[in-house]
Amino acid sequence: MRFATPLPLQSGVEMHDYTLVYETYGTLNAARSNAVLVCHALNASHHVAGSYDENDPKSVGWWDNMVGPGKALDTDRFFVIGINNLGSCFGSTGPMHANPATGKPYGAAFPVVTVEDWVHAQARLADALGIAQFAAVMGGSLGGMQALAWSTMYPARLRHCIVIASTAKLSAQNIAFNDVARQAILTDPDYHGGDFYAHGVVPKNGLRVARMVGHITYLSDDDMAEKFGRELRTGKYQFDFGIDFEIESYLRYQGDKFSEYFDANTYLLITKALDYFDPAREFDGDLTKALANSQAQFLLASFTTDWRFAPACSQKIVQALVNNKRRVCYAEIDAPHGHDAFLLDDTRYMNVVRAYYERVWLETMETMEAGAL
Amino acid sequence: MRFATPLPLQSGVEMHDYTLVYETYGTLNAARSNAVLVCHALNASHHVAGSYDENDPKSVGWWDNMVGPGKALDTDRFFVIGINNLGSCFGSTGPMHANPATGKPYGAAFPVVTVEDWVHAQARLADALGIAQFAAVMGGSLGGMQALAWSTMYPARLRHCIVIASTAKLSAQNIAFNDVARQAILTDPDYHGGDFYAHGVVPKNGLRVARMVGHITYLSDDDMAEKFGRELRTGKYQFDFGIDFEIESYLRYQGDKFSEYFDANTYLLITKALDYFDPAREFDGDLTKALANSQAQFLLASFTTDWRFAPACSQKIVQALVNNKRRVCYAEIDAPHGHDAFLLDDTRYMNVVRAYYERVWLETMETMEAGAL
């Protein structure tokens, strides 16, 4: 969907003439009360569920284990919307698109966007779709930050807020890992100051290293030990700098794959949005005050082995909500897969979300009946 | 010291005509029984203690807080030796030196060296210095691996083995971080397949990213939060990819500094030596069997917030030694500084080492008296 009205961004810049791509699943009811917005994290998109091509496993939506008919977020009940965020590289306006001011790709001139900017853009799309209030806004990791931001930026526009494996702010260590990734990209000669499109190249080496660093932080130490340990590819040391260990093979493969489809400028933008998110910042670091005007009910979930956004990060949000007397469910799920667990098919995790959506559904039905009376 | 006899390496290659630089502190006694070998870690050298230039704080030895007159390792009592390892970039033969076979710098052709290779080379230097048995061999991190290897490779040549903040093998996550660092260097166009010397350049960007990644793993999350938190350099977001947070400024500075003095090929070699160290490997992973022929007494120390080589790594070594009925002291020191703690001046830590060396000294004196009788 194309938006002609400029979007004022937190940086002070205005975004002119932009497009947001989105996907929907299920049917919006007559009361327009069963819509759920699913916000994506770093490298995902509007393609949340379903498959474009049954023969291509890569075309399956990134949260297809969570969203679909009969699934935890049941598209037989809810009208689910996935939106690709501004600055991303999966269809919505991003750094690879033409800057209307110059006619050339934005490149590094694409404005730095924040979680709050994305939420404003999502709200405009909701307006255009005629959705005044979401049954729920939901996301994991960076997606969870967007859900949390919705709860205070548009408190009346969501009845439930579901924040999974997320945090109210990045730690110094989180920022440090992001900055290493950015430096790998920015100093790759093929980055060309962000204008690599014009040079017909891609800063593949930088993106590859960025992804390798990121990937380490998504997995738990234990899970890596379990899956790879010190397994050697050929059973013996090679005494060179090729591949000795299986973990090297795996990580390099992940880095290679990522560098083939992901945009380097998008990577910079999205890590910056992560770093900047800090709703308590305007309240002298007081998260309770920052969340005071939220009205939604909340579900928070974290995973025991997630060392990127550890359970303590979710607990701080829960505490701030409880301080505000909000209704909050919190699940700390014992799962071995680190931060990545939020994308995986863990029975306990899925059951928690499923049970929560049962309640959201019952309330949605009641609202409809009340409205019908 | 120059060595003309070829050194057979674990890879099968022989090292011809190499030099080892070393420094000594204190005086070797007549019985030659008070020598202590201090092994260095990744980016350190033979310059363990003292200062080359009192006006230049950078010229202070890397363990000067530990080693010196009246210090925990007291050079008024012990004859301390620091050796720069083969492949390093501080004077001993390394990749930047001429390969006798070609007359050109070794570059990537410098053989991959292991902890065990270094220990053999150190033993030859000890031979040359007339030291049949060390009072102690000591090291932290990668230096601790060398001390541990001494205990099984030359069991009769050390009375005490001091292993600090180390591990008997790297985890998959440790290897993953090392491989990211190596990939950053190897894919830097200025690396030129290891022959950057001939091109008059240095793979500065790769080394910089490598060091930034490494540095994050040396610090604890808490310590980073304490020192930097989310402090902004100018008090507000810049909305660009310059420096926003103090942690970015710090890490980039560390990366820049490192890339100006450290050799890229050395970085590759040393991380590989770390990855390969695994004395239990030849014993089906049984560390107890791997350490069975050790004869020394041991001191192990770890630091609570070290997530690179966590206390559990030291505990596994302690358990294997106890299984072998070796005499072991173990100190787990509550320190906030992560892996870097082993280089820092922590009172409890220094007191543990000091107390241990008191015992080593008393035993050394007894040995001398017994010898005199």
Side-chain angles (χ1 to χ4, degrees), chain A residues 14-54:
Chain A
E14 282 194 335
M15 191 77 213
H16 290 268
D17 192 19
Y18 62 95
T19 297
L20 291 180
V21 299
Y22 66 100
E23 255 179 51
T24 68
Y25 317 88
T27 311
L28 187 63
N29 63 17
R32 299 180 170 271
S33 65
N34 70 333
V36 173
L37 175 65
V38 173
C39 307
H40 71 75
L42 201 149
N43 69 326
S45 72
H46 53 292
H47 184 40
V48 174
S51 174
Y52 296 145
D53 174 357
E54 295 217 343

Side-chain angles (χ1 to χ4, degrees), chain B residues 184-185 188-192 196 201-208 259 264:
Chain B
I185 292 169
D188 184 329
D190 285 339
Y191 180 65
H192 292 289
F196 52 89
V201 291
V202 164
K204 202 170 161 6
N205 292 329
L207 258 174
R208 185 170 171 269
S259 68

Side-chain angles (χ1 to χ4, degrees), chain A residues 25-102:
Chain A
Y25 317 88
T27 311
L28 187 63
N29 63 17
R32 299 180 170 271
S33 65
N34 70 333
V36 173
L37 175 65
V38 173
C39 307
H40 71 75
L42 201 149
N43 69 326
S45 72
H46 53 292
H47 184 40
V48 174
S51 174
Y52 296 145
D53 174 357
E54 295 217 343
N55 298 317
D56 179 10
K58 282 183 197 158
S59 80
V60 175
W62 59 271
W63 227 351
D64 188 63
N65 55 12
M66 173 75 84
V67 181
K71 296 183 183 174
L73 172 45
D74 188 349
T75 53
D76 288 338
R77 291 173 168 182
F78 293 101
F79 176 64
V80 176
I81 306 173
I83 305 183
N84 188 221
N85 283 323
L86 271 180
S88 183
C89 51
F90 298 108
S92 292
T93 301
M96 67 298 302
H97 294 125
N99 180 346
T102 64

Side-chain angles (χ1 to χ4, degrees), chain A residues 112 170 172-173 179 182-183 187 205 208 221 229-230 237 239-240 244 248 252 272 275-276 278, chain B residues 11 112 170 172-173 179 182-183 187 205 208 221 229-230 237 239-240 244 248 252 272 275-276 278:
Chain A
V112 167
L170 262 61
Q173 191 189 66
D179 199 48
R182 282 191 295 264
Q183 291 300 309
T187 62
N205 293 329
R208 185 170 171 269
D221 188 14
R230 294 179 53 87
Y237 291 159
F239 295 100
D240 60 26
D244 272 302
E248 296 174 316
R252 292 184 201 179
K272 210 68 188 171
D275 289 0
Y276 279 179
D278 184 6
Chain B
S11 62
V112 167
L170 262 59
Q173 191 189 66
D179 199 48
R182 283 191 294 263
Q183 291 300 309
T187 62
N205 292 329
R208 185 170 171 269
D221 189 13
R230 295 179 53 85
Y237 291 160
F239 295 101
D240 61 27
D244 271 304
E248 297 174 314
R252 293 185 201 178
K272 210 67 187 171
D275 289 0
Y276 279 179
D278 184 7

Side-chain angles (χ1 to χ4, degrees), chain B residues 169-241:
Chain B
K169 64 178 179 196
L170 262 59
S171 70
Q173 191 189 66
N174 293 147
I175 295 170
F177 278 122
N178 280 345
D179 199 48
V180 171
R182 283 191 294 263
Q183 291 300 309
I185 292 169
L186 290 165
T187 62
D188 184 329
D190 285 339
Y191 180 65
H192 292 289
D195 296 327
F196 52 89
Y197 315 104
H199 293 78
V201 291
V202 164
K204 202 170 161 6
N205 292 329
L207 258 174
R208 185 170 171 269
V209 165
R211 180 58 168 181
M212 288 174 77
V213 173
H215 207 87
I216 297 174
T217 71
Y218 305 149
L219 303 182
S220 77
D221 189 13
D222 282 353
D223 194 33
M224 242 190 214
E226 175 81 22
K227 273 193 196 136
F228 304 103
R230 295 179 53 85
E231 279 303 309
L232 294 167
R233 203 147 190 230
T234 65
K236 56 180 186 176
Y237 291 160
Q238 298 299 306
F239 295 101
D240 61 27
F241 301 113

